[in-house]
Amino acid sequence: MGIVFNEKTGEFHLYNDRISYLMRILRNGQLGQLYLGRRIPQREDHGYLLENRYRPVSAYVFDDEYSFTLEHLKQEYPAYGTTDFRMPALEICQPDGSRITDFRYVSHEISKGKPALDGLPATYTESEDEAETLKIVLRDTLLNVELTLLYTIFRDVDGIARSARFENKGQEAYQITRAMSLSLDLPDDGYEWVQFSGAWGRERFLKTRRLQQGIQSVSSTRGASSHHHNPFVFLKRPTADEHQGEVIGFSLVYSGNFLAQAEVDTYGVTRMMIGINPFGFSWCLKPQESFQTPEAVMIYSTEGMNGMSQAYHRLYRTRLARGYWRDRERPVLLNNWEATYFDFTEEKLLKIAENAKADGVELFVLDDGWFSTRCDETSGLGDWWPNMDRLPGGIKGLSEKIEALGLRFGLWFELEMVNKDSELYRAHPDWIIQTPGRHASHGRRQYVLDFSRKEVVDYIYEMVEKLIGESKISYIKWDMNRNITECFSAGYGAEQQGEIFHRYILGLYDLYDRLNKRFPQILFESCASGGGRFDPGLLYYAPQCWTSDDTDAVERQRIQYGTSYAYPVSSMGAHVSITPNHQLARSAPLKTRGDVAAFGAFGYELDLARLTDEERKLVKEQIRFVKKYRKLTHTGVFYRLLSPFEGNFTAWMVVSEDKKQAIVAYFKILNDVNSAFRRLYLKGLEDRFLYHTIEDEVDTGSFYGSELMNMGLITTDMSAGELPHDAQPCGDFWSRIVVLEADA
Ligand code: DGJ
């Protein structure tokens, strides 16, 4: 791994053992993009890659020639209007109304490791030799604004982290109206664009389309990364699949409004960019102040989509997630939400917890409804003190009782919100986000607290710090159940209103950071009506996220499969719930519900007392299995094998780093009769290892890795009595888990 600068040609080469990234200072001082791809040898001059020439209707930079036009040049951080007509990476509105900028190379610095980003989540290194960072400083001399582009190349992950920082060294204020985190011009358009979109209850469904001339994009304008689109897209060659071929991922480490966009121009050049959504955004860059964009992480894979995902998993699990819980086995939890909703007493909760303990659960989580007057969604948000009628000993008392049962205790919060029927709102009606003179819309009868204002964040911190500090709390579920409307802050002047969406997210990160620091051993799980804020930004503060409110085992296959393209198994909160399922009214077998949830941060979302004795036996078995294998499912290399977006089957597997163990999950949605012969071709095993295939604790045979990968694991379904061991015959919503253990 290294970063080389060639003085003579002005070329930068960032490389590790497998990938190269090349840039060059252009003749006009701006920064050009030359190459992203497989590692190439270091060489002085790649000037031949600068494809520019005369074309009618283009405009040219230099008076004496007709070829240098930014319209044709591939660039690193392009601006509009100085011969490039494509969408730019930046735009700055100046006091005279001009938006033209001209940032030219001034200097650069290469350093070991990776610097932190002020107030923002970002990937990090633990030792200096894990990464190298290039800082390139460019300046617009007319504005006296400096632009610093940061590039980090990792040693063990085929990725580059990028961000941009603007610093106003002049005397006048400017409005930044666009500041992307990453822009990349690729030499052709022979790609498919893949995005992860959906809605509440069906988050991150995979959608693919061929790139076309013009702009294709996904974005959020909701104040959160959202259920609707994820701040992650990738480009793949049409011939690439899960296991081979070129794939380039673009992921934004951010939880607010974002834009991910590809623009294909007339000449087949693809300009990818990702960053804060410029719609509704502006940042007043005052003299001597600076603005830092969030970080974007780009992964380059020639091992297909699994190769890309494995790189993101590794980076995000070990160098984005942080703290005490990063590498620890996550507790099996039981959350009371679907068991009781708002209808509980302390006695009822303790009974649920007792049963959970009896079956092997490790953590009991009390969800919404424990505080102030909150008995339904109309009141109480903002008043974070216990409802003493429901919980006579308060949270302190309940948490002690739960611990006395031998369980850890976890608690739900929704710290960013307030109901009008609350002490907080009555005392500070001006603390919500609302536009003066306009109606304030509600969502679930709640309003968004103005986290762009420090005093609001401070107030919430003080209130909950006290409660958490005096109770025995091991886990916090941090919920967020509505998006921002009528965005405006009473704390800022007219020229700063375009900052509010972003400042809100900075306030959210600040509160998370303070609580992380004050309570380093608490496990945080983020949530936003399920998976409405499942993004890398929050993984920095909360290593797991409630993947979706939809707990149906069939829908969850798609949700978890889609989520796995960027996010590790350890980050996906996945619970077994009651049937008929509360979201879909479907009744999938308990085994299938458990088998899907086992590939996530596992738990239950039900009252175990409502299950039969037979089912309770299975629950105990599920918990035993999860405890035995959670380290493997969370840290192993994850392979998607069969896509639920393509057919009746879903399959995935994890393989331990040393390849001695693996777990294969195979799901069939609807049963079929007298079915075809089927085989599942496994991946990532060691050819010469002899693996025992173990199903429901029964050793069903042994096969070499090369056999399982090339001949396949036989998965032909059998009717009753035909299965190789005493298991249930295949039915609808069916699942099998096969553990592979290699002979020592
Ligand atoms: C939405 C969450 O996604 C649910 O799990 C639950 O915590 C409710 N909010 C509580 O209001």
Side-chain angles (χ1 to χ4, degrees):
M1 173 199 56
I3 298 174
V4 179
F5 177 63
N6 188 305
E7 292 276 354
K8 218 162 85 202
T9 54
E11 282 189 15
F12 295 94
H13 185 183
L14 292 77
Y15 61 88
N16 66 18
D17 287 348
R18 296 156 307 274
I19 62 166
S20 284
Y21 191 79
L22 284 172
M23 298 177 279
R24 178 177 171 122
I25 303 164
L26 299 173
R27 187 179 156 204
N28 71 338
Q30 293 183 11
L31 203 57
Q33 153 63 215
L34 295 178
Y35 176 73
L36 162 67
R38 289 288 283 264
R39 171 78 192 271
I40 42 128
Q42 169 60 22
R43 126 191 217 143
E44 278 222 326
D45 192 354
H46 293 90
Y48 60 89
L49 289 174
L50 298 169
E51 293 170 284
N52 48 1
R53 62 174 219 215
Y54 171 76
R55 290 185 197 263
V57 206
S58 288
Y60 302 93
V61 171
F62 297 106
D63 293 346
D64 57 352
E65 52 94 283
Y66 282 89
S67 67
F68 190 96
T69 169
L70 296 166
E71 184 174 10
H72 303 156
L73 284 165
K74 293 158 197 79
Q75 295 161 68
E76 278 301 303
Y77 206 73
Y80 166 83
T82 54
T83 74
D84 191 350
F85 301 98
R86 293 166 291 181
M87 285 296 120
L90 81 155
E91 190 179 53
I92 298 178
C93 185
Q94 299 144 47
D96 64 0
S98 160
R99 287 165 192 261
I100 297 300
T101 53
D102 183 5
F103 283 94
R104 297 177 183 212
Y105 172 84
V106 176
S107 64
H108 72 271
E109 203 181 294
I110 296 168
S111 57
K112 295 212 163 298
K114 181 172 190 296
L117 299 186
D118 230 12
L120 283 165
T123 55
Y124 59 89
T125 51
E126 284 201 333
S127 69
E128 292 225 310
D129 53 357
E130 286 179 8
E132 268 190 37
T133 297
L134 168 66
K135 208 188 241 187
I136 302 180
V137 180
L138 303 120
R139 182 179 296 128
D140 182 310
T141 43
L142 187 66
L143 304 185
N144 208 357
V145 170
E146 261 181 25
L147 164 63
T148 303
L149 300 180
L150 268 186
Y151 297 83
T152 298
I153 180 141
F154 299 95
R155 183 191 58 198
D156 303 327
V157 170
D158 293 345
I160 291 176
R162 288 183 56 179
S163 69
R165 184 184 183 85
F166 293 86
E167 206 175 331
N168 187 349
K169 304 220 155 184
Q171 301 305 319
E172 286 187 290
Y174 305 110
Q175 288 284 348
I176 300 175
T177 54
R178 187 177 181 99
M180 303 310 283
S181 298
L182 169 158
S183 177
L184 176 72
D185 288 349
L186 293 163
D188 69 88
D189 61 354
Y191 292 99
E192 286 170 347
W193 156 283
V194 185
Q195 67 189 55
F196 295 87
S197 301
W200 174 88
R202 50 181 171 87
E203 295 91 340
R204 290 169 298 286
F205 280 17
L206 176 137
K207 317 254 176 210
T208 306
R209 68 185 118 138
R210 182 71 199 232
L211 280 185
Q212 295 289 344
Q213 189 176 327
I215 289 177
Q216 33 261 288
S217 69
V218 289
S219 63
S220 169
T221 51
R222 312 177 75 96
S225 48
S226 89
H227 298 87
H228 308 76
H229 297 295
N230 198 258
F232 166 63
V233 294
F234 65 85
L235 297 181
K236 68 179 269 290
R237 295 294 184 189
T239 51
D241 58 27
E242 284 290 1
H243 313 294
Q244 60 74 39
E246 187 184 73
V247 180
I248 314 173
F250 302 89
S251 164
L252 187 67
V253 186
Y254 190 57
S255 310
N257 291 347
F258 74 92
L259 170 70
Q261 174 176 301
E263 177 173 8
V264 177
D265 74 13
T266 328
Y267 306 106
V269 170
T270 300
R271 172 168 291 175
M272 272 300 307
M273 51 179 68
I274 194 164
I276 291 179
N277 194 344
F279 176 78
F281 168 81
S282 63
W283 190 274
C284 183
L285 190 67
K286 296 183 184 145
Q288 313 313 314
E289 289 191 355
S290 60
F291 176 75
Q292 170 69 54
T293 73
E295 174 167 293
V297 177
M298 187 164 67
I299 296 285
Y300 183 83
S301 162
T302 47
E303 273 91 53
M305 297 180 277
N306 273 321
M308 172 199 65
S309 301
Q310 288 159 6
Y312 275 120
H313 294 176
R314 180 172 188 166
L315 187 65
Y316 286 177
R317 183 173 60 77
T318 65
R319 294 294 181 268
L320 178 64
R322 302 171 299 164
Y324 183 82
W325 284 100
R326 188 188 74 180
D327 303 326
R328 284 193 160 72
E329 294 184 19
R330 306 290 166 70
V332 172
L333 67 81
L334 184 140
N335 178 306
N336 77 306
W337 181 241
E338 287 199 12
T340 65
Y341 295 104
F342 287 110
D343 181 20
F344 60 80
T345 57
E346 182 171 280
E347 202 189 337
K348 201 164 167 183
L349 296 175
L350 287 170
K351 197 77 210 125
I352 293 173
E354 254 172 52
N355 277 310
K357 171 67 189 167
D359 289 359
V361 167
E362 296 162 304
L363 168 76
F364 173 78
V365 180
L366 173 54
D367 211 280
D368 196 354
W370 57 266
F371 49 96
S372 176
T373 56
R374 181 100 168 159
C375 291
D376 57 32
E377 62 189 39
T378 60
S379 74
L381 283 175
D383 297 343
W384 299 107
W385 52 81
N387 178 335
M388 300 305 267
D389 293 336
R390 284 186 149 186
L391 309 173
I395 287 297
K396 184 171 182 301
L398 177 63
S399 63
E400 285 164 1
K401 287 179 196 156
I402 295 288
E403 288 224 335
L405 292 175
L407 287 162
R408 296 298 195 87
F409 179 72
L411 196 58
W412 178 95
F413 288 95
E414 192 176 1
L415 299 175
E416 300 153 68
M417 300 291 159
V418 67
N419 286 117
K420 283 198 171 169
D421 185 2
S422 68
E423 299 297 313
L424 175 60
Y425 183 79
R426 284 185 277 275
H428 299 285
D430 58 326
W431 276 11
I432 64 170
I433 291 188
Q434 61 185 331
T435 299
R438 304 278 173 199
H439 171 70
S441 311
H442 77 100
R444 213 193 184 205
R445 300 284 287 273
Q446 64 195 51
Y447 299 82
V448 185
L449 283 171
D450 185 353
F451 268 30
S452 72
R453 291 165 69 179
K454 188 167 178 311
E455 65 271 31
V456 179
V457 175
D458 286 349
Y459 181 91
I460 296 293
Y461 174 79
E462 301 298 332
M463 184 169 18
V464 293
E465 189 272 339
K466 188 170 164 295
L467 175 88
I468 300 168
E470 69 190 20
S471 311
K472 294 195 178 311
I473 294 176
S474 302
Y475 161 105
I476 285 176
K477 176 175 171 186
W478 184 317
D479 204 350
M480 192 282 286
N481 285 301
R482 66 157 291 186
N483 293 137
I484 295 175
T485 54
E486 293 91 25
C487 185
F488 184 97
S489 169
Y492 296 85
E495 74 291 357
Q496 287 189 278
Q497 292 304 324
E499 300 174 8
I500 304 310
F501 273 118
H502 181 55
R503 284 192 180 275
Y504 176 88
I505 296 294
L506 295 179
L508 167 72
Y509 290 155
D510 176 40
L511 185 59
Y512 252 116
D513 204 48
R514 283 198 248 174
L515 289 170
N516 280 171
K517 285 191 177 121
R518 170 71 180 83
F519 303 106
Q521 294 194 2
I522 288 185
L523 171 61
F524 283 83
E525 176 156 346
S526 71
C527 170
S529 293
R533 230 171 28 185
F534 203 125
D535 58 62
L538 284 188
L539 287 184
Y540 186 71
Y541 305 98
Q544 58 192 59
C545 174
W546 181 225
T547 315
S548 177
D549 275 345
D550 185 348
T551 50
D552 170 69
V554 175
E555 288 299 289
R556 269 294 181 128
Q557 288 169 37
R558 295 204 272 181
I559 294 167
Q560 290 174 211
Y561 201 92
T563 305
S564 80
Y565 278 87
Y567 307 104
V569 170
S570 58
S571 67
M572 293 185 224
H575 301 172
V576 174
S577 61
I578 203 83
T579 51
N581 175 268
H582 287 191
Q583 293 77 38
L584 272 104
R586 182 182 282 139
S587 291
L590 180 57
K591 170 166 164 44
T592 308
R593 284 176 271 153
D595 288 352
V596 177
F599 288 81
F602 184 84
Y604 290 85
E605 192 87 14
L606 50 78
D607 181 353
L608 293 168
R610 293 184 52 198
L611 302 184
T612 62
D613 289 350
E614 194 65 17
E615 288 174 321
R616 291 287 289 273
K617 252 172 58 199
L618 182 52
V619 165
K620 285 197 181 95
E621 174 47 30
Q622 287 174 340
I623 295 177
R624 190 202 58 78
F625 179 87
V626 165
K627 287 179 180 169
K628 182 164 176 198
Y629 291 113
R630 62 188 155 191
K631 187 152 194 263
L632 172 57
T633 51
H634 287 190
T635 64
V637 182
F638 184 82
Y639 291 86
R640 288 175 299 271
L641 301 176
L642 294 177
S643 171
F645 297 104
E646 286 169 12
N648 198 30
F649 299 91
T650 304
W652 56 56
M653 67 185 288
V654 285
V655 184
S656 63
E657 290 278 348
D658 65 4
K659 304 193 175 196
K660 294 239 164 94
Q661 274 193 322
I663 309 181
V664 182
Y666 178 77
F667 306 97
K668 174 159 144 180
I669 299 172
L670 291 181
N671 199 8
D672 51 354
V673 69
N674 193 14
S675 66
F677 293 107
R678 295 193 180 102
R679 293 175 190 196
L680 182 64
Y681 297 93
L682 305 189
K683 294 284 167 188
L685 302 174
E686 176 59 52
D687 277 344
R688 63 194 167 81
F689 285 177
L690 187 66
Y691 294 93
H692 291 270
T693 51
I694 301 162
E695 241 182 298
D696 298 327
E697 298 277 282
V698 179
D699 190 332
T700 56
S702 53
F703 307 91
Y704 285 103
S706 57
E707 293 177 323
L708 292 167
M709 293 192 288
N710 298 308
M711 298 167 166
L713 177 75
I714 302 292
T715 55
T716 311
D717 309 315
M718 309 207 191
S719 49
E722 281 186 291
L723 285 170
H725 59 281
D726 189 22
Q728 288 298 308
C730 177
D732 287 345
F733 323 128
W734 188 67
S735 70
R736 280 172 77 178
I737 295 260
V738 182
V739 174
L740 306 181
E741 300 270 4
D743 275 338

